[in-house]
């Protein structure tokens, strides 16, 4: 029986094009696509962005890419208004562990 793939990621929020995010949400380790979507939904809700923005992402393609190539190969942004973005940053397991030490 194969072990479930784990998706490691963090979410940040801030002005588009800025080097440092305004805030950081995560890190997360999930084994189901549903949990990944729920984390992004929670982030959008927290930053008062429309949850309808979730439809901008092909979650099944993202999940299969993360399982095939590793989560650290996956990065994307969802615009919340004219200038701000909620950004998804895929992590390796080592990066995830390092983030947990910092938090």
């Amino acid at each position: 029986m194969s072990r479930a793939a784990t998706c490691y990621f963090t979410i940040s929020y801030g002005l588009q094009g800025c080097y440092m995010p305004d805030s950081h949400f995560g890190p997360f380790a999930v084994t189901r696509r549903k949990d990944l979507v729920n984390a992004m939904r929670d982030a959008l809700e927290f930053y008062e962005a429309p949850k309808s923005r979730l439809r901008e992402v092909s979650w099944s393609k993202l999940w299969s890419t993360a399982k095939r190539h590793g989560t650290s190969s996956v990065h994307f942004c969802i615009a919340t208004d004219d200038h701000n973005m909620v950004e998804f940053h895929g992590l390796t397991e080592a990066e995830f562990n390092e983030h947990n030490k910092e938090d």
Side-chain angles (χ1 to χ4, degrees):
M1 189 146 103
S2 67
R3 186 173 73 104
T6 302
C7 179
Y8 302 101
F9 63 96
T10 185
I11 299 169
S12 62
Y13 174 80
L15 285 172
Q16 180 179 348
C18 288
Y19 292 103
M20 297 296 291
D22 293 337
S23 65
H24 176 78
F25 207 69
F28 298 93
V30 299
T31 56
R32 299 183 315 162
R33 183 179 68 202
K34 179 181 178 180
D35 296 329
L36 181 131
V37 175
N38 286 339
M40 283 300 291
R41 180 179 291 118
D42 291 346
L44 289 173
E45 186 174 308
F46 180 81
Y47 296 120
E48 299 176 352
K51 288 186 273 185
S52 61
R53 300 284 178 139
L54 285 172
R55 290 191 293 265
E56 295 176 9
V57 178
S58 174
W59 295 103
S60 56
K61 281 185 181 179
L62 183 141
W63 187 253
S64 65
T65 299
K67 284 176 31 180
R68 189 177 313 112
H69 302 291
T71 313
S72 64
S73 66
V74 181
H75 305 280
F76 66 89
C77 302
I78 297 176
T80 59
D81 56 34
D82 289 340
H83 306 289
N84 292 306
M85 305 286 249
V86 172
E87 299 182 43
F88 175 98
H89 307 277
L91 303 172
T92 64
E93 185 175 5
E95 291 169 330
F96 171 79
N97 291 333
E98 189 64 32
H99 275 275
N100 273 336
K101 284 181 195 176
E102 294 171 7
D103 293 343

